[in-house]
Amino acid sequence: MWVRDRLDGLWHDEDFDAWYPRDGRPGLSPAQLATVSVLQFLLNLSDRQAAEAVRCRIDFKYALALELDDPGFHHSVLADFRDRLAQDDRADTLLDIALARLKEAGLVKAWGRQRTDSTYLRAAVRELTRLELVLETVRAALEECARTAPEILEGLVDEDWALRYGRQVRLVSQPSHPAARLKQAGADAAELLERVRGQHPGTPPGPALEALRQIMVQHFLVDVRGRLRPRAEKDGLPPTGRRLESPYDLEARYTRRGHRTWVGYLAHTTETCDEGSTNVITDVATTVPTGDSVALPGIHTRLKRRRLLPAEHLVDSGYTSVVLHDTAARAHRITMVGPVKTDNSRQRKTGDGFARENFIIDFDRREVTCPNGQVSGNWNELPAMAPYTVVRFDKRHCGPCPERSSCTSGGTDGELPAPTPARAPGPQPRRSAGPAVAAALCLTLRRRGHHE
């Protein structure tokens, strides 16, 4: 009622001119359909229930500015409208228009307080086993070829192929001969891809063929004898962040957070949270399941474009890092408020010893001074370690140092410690000074411009 009385609706039909052709049959008001879609989501209604609410409920008719005897519309119209809404980031455009009108009405303002949090989004796909994934991807690629280039399948598809890929794949929990069927599916996929490359060289493949190509790379390899076989654990499998989970959604990924696992995406929602005012969503970002901190620069960029940057931004520990705090303050004058990531260093757990902040870092001279006064002798800015710099101290200084055990857990002279796994790129929580190499200290620092 507030939106209808003060704004005459969040959207007008003129905002949707680019969505529809100039000629054709008369259509329903797209501004009304957009409003119905919002109310449908808020009340968790199906398409049939939403269409019935437009026909029967007075509050819906008031929000849509309809006459009381208006018959409404058929429920299938909502599905058609969502298909248009899903194209070319149109949902973001509608959010921009709505926020601009809410800002003019004084319901939302810049330089207030906002908060951001993420939640999981499940993809509209089935969770498939490895065998089901390969079989279903081959079937999807065959159907795509049958629609777009049927000549590819001539002389290739026979009755055996029809039995294997003629219907949607749904296997029991313990299918018969899974290893043999997986090898056969891999051989069929390789033959199909070779046929496509031979008959249509240089032509970009469709989404199903591209999914088949990626899945073949991820789950199969050619051994030293030239034979195609499924990858085993010893051969190395791609990480879950890159592994395809369905041929029908190439961006959905398997993710585990705490005790929750899902195949899909992350939704980052930002809303105002000033005291004494209505909370209004100012940004929604759907991303692949990566660290929350990856989405934060994009959130600030969109809020700046909408002229709705907050003075204080409340986030949880997934969004916090020294780099992001510094960037938000320097680039946007935003004060980030959130818990600091847990320090898992040995010094933190034992309550003594030297951590990274106890070392003096001089970026101009490209050297680091340890708490005992020794200066590093090696400064490497390796491209593979970007944006990190690796600094090593000479073992002649660290070996006889009486306080060596306070800053590194490495062995004595002549002993090599266990190898340390490579660190993932991106902001890292504070940790111990670094691994020891032949009783020498190794520090990993962020390069200049990434103050941490």
Side-chain angles (χ1 to χ4, degrees), residues 40-53:
Q40 177 185 7
F41 173 79
L42 290 174
L43 300 176
N44 194 25
L45 303 178
S46 66
D47 287 351
R48 293 179 182 273
Q49 290 172 334
E52 183 69 10

Side-chain angles (χ1 to χ4, degrees), residues 400-422:
C401 179
E403 299 186 31
R404 179 180 53 81
S405 60
S406 298
C407 64
T408 178
S409 57
T412 59
D413 277 332
E415 295 182 4
L416 289 176
T420 303

